Amino acid sequence: MRKVADCREFPSESNCTLTISGEEEEVVRAAAEHAASVHGHTDSPELRDQIRGTLKDEVPQHA
């Protein structure tokens, strides 16, 4: 099951709208890198665990 991390669920000064989806470890890695480079967080095991806890299952979009 693909996972989704959505910045819109977390208030930020930049009003970030980025959504990242993919396999869980890909999403956690990309979201942690994004949180560090854009939002000033420190990429740490604790941050990655926090991100992992907020992931949602991707809802497939059918045409």
Side-chain angles (χ1 to χ4, degrees):
M1 170 75 52
R2 287 170 49 100
K3 299 291 185 178
V4 176
D6 189 340
C7 264
R8 294 174 297 181
E9 295 183 9
F10 305 95
S12 70
E13 292 179 10
S14 62
N15 293 317
C16 186
T17 63
L18 182 69
T19 300
I20 301 169
S21 65
E23 296 297 321
E24 183 171 330
E25 288 309 311
E26 294 173 318
V27 174
V28 169
R29 182 179 62 248
E33 291 171 3
H34 170 74
S37 67
V38 175
H39 298 291
H41 294 282
T42 300
D43 186 350
S44 65
E46 292 81 14
L47 176 65
R48 290 180 181 229
D49 285 344
Q50 189 175 26
I51 291 167
R52 189 173 280 107
T54 66
L55 297 180
K56 301 207 179 341
D57 292 340
E58 183 179 62
V59 178
Q61 300 296 317
H62 298 285

